[in-house]
């Protein structure tokens, strides 16, 4: 069965964006050292990416305004807006849990949860994330968009891998 993978970077204090929604702090401790590429390994195991509208909007306006960077993936954007889907992106108005349940029934590779925090938090409430691949950036923001938020129940995880480079610590957890 397809797994749901959260692959995301966060500050040491658990934020995925600063208080203004910016992510320009997502880098290692030495800007002259090239960051390792964990994304290439992820992309081989997935064929679907899911995100909320805020993440989508940040990608198309700031991070990659000239091209849709996930054009080789089945892309789903969860939104309340009435946006017409195109050949690259499916805009859906269903809950994250309903979408993931529907996608897991389909044949394919793993499903990547790209962001944002609201989508992640809804999926966590229903224990829908199988793998947590977190890149912890050597920055303490103090405020911003918190990745996990408050949960009704605890989720117990199993550490399966850890590595570090340029001050970034990558941890890989599976749910128990």
């Amino acid at each position: 069965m397809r797994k749901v993978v959260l692959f995301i970077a966060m500050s040491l204090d658990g934020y995925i964006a600063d208080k203004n929604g910016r992510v320009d702090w997502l880098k290692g401790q030495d800007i002259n050292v090239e960051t390792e590429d964990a994304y290439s390994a992820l992309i081989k195991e997935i064929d679907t990416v899911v995100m909320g509208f805020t993440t989508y909007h940040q990608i198309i306006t700031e991070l990659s305004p000239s091209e849709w960077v996930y054009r080789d993936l089945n892309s789903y954007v969860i939104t309340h807006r009435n946006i017409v889907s195109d050949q690259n992106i499916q805009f859906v108005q269903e809950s994250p849990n309903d979408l993931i349940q529907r996608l897991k029934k389909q044949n394919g590779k793993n499903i990547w949860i790209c962001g944002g925090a609201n989508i992640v938090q809804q999926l966590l409430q229903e224990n829908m994330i199988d793998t947590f691949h977190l890149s912890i950036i050597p920055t303490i923001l103090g405020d911003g968009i918190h990745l996990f938020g408050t949960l009704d129940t605890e989720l117990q995880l199993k550490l399966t891998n850890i590595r570090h480079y340029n001050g970034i610590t990558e941890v890989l957890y599976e749910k128990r």
Side-chain angles (χ1 to χ4, degrees):
M1 182 182 278
R2 303 173 81 180
K3 286 188 175 184
V4 178
V5 178
L6 174 62
F7 180 89
I8 200 162
M10 67 180 196
S11 65
L12 184 61
D13 52 348
Y15 296 102
I16 59 172
D18 69 17
K19 62 184 175 184
N20 297 314
R22 301 204 39 92
V23 295
D24 54 355
W25 52 272
L26 289 173
K27 53 189 168 250
Q29 62 194 14
D30 185 347
I31 59 171
N32 296 317
V33 173
E34 192 168 324
T35 301
E36 292 188 27
D37 182 19
Y39 177 78
S40 293
L42 168 79
I43 206 74
K44 293 176 186 174
E45 299 178 1
I46 64 163
D47 63 3
T48 303
V49 60
V50 174
M51 68 191 72
F53 183 82
T54 302
T55 301
Y56 162 77
H57 188 261
Q58 187 168 45
I59 291 168
I60 65 166
T61 60
E62 295 174 40
L63 304 176
S64 182
S66 60
E67 69 173 317
W68 181 242
V69 293
Y70 306 125
R71 68 182 171 280
D72 294 332
L73 301 174
N74 300 312
S75 299
Y76 292 85
V77 176
I78 300 171
T79 181
H80 296 292
R81 295 167 176 81
N82 288 320
I83 303 174
V84 177
S85 298
D86 62 31
Q87 64 187 19
N88 293 315
I89 307 164
Q90 295 292 312
F91 294 94
V92 297
Q93 295 184 350
E94 58 195 302
S95 76
N97 295 326
D98 289 345
L99 174 62
I100 294 302
Q101 286 178 10
R102 179 168 61 87
L103 293 174
K104 283 187 84 161
K105 292 176 185 174
Q106 299 172 1
N107 289 330
K109 295 181 179 180
N110 293 338
I111 303 162
W112 171 27
I113 307 303
C114 178
N118 188 305
I119 302 300
V120 171
Q121 291 167 12
Q122 289 181 61
L123 292 172
L124 284 173
Q125 287 293 346
E126 300 299 322
N127 199 15
M128 301 278 296
I129 298 174
D130 301 303
T131 302
F132 297 77
H133 187 142
L134 307 173
S135 296
I136 303 167
I137 307 300
T139 300
I140 295 174
L141 292 175
D143 193 8
I145 299 172
H146 197 264
L147 176 58
F148 295 119
T150 303
L151 291 175
D152 294 334
T153 61
E154 72 178 36
L155 299 177
Q156 295 187 354
L157 307 174
K158 174 184 168 188
L159 180 66
T160 59
N161 195 16
I162 187 167
R163 67 185 194 133
H164 61 88
Y165 51 87
N166 196 15
I168 297 171
T169 302
E170 286 187 0
V171 292
L172 184 64
Y173 291 98
E174 300 284 335
K175 69 179 179 182
R176 287 193 251 169

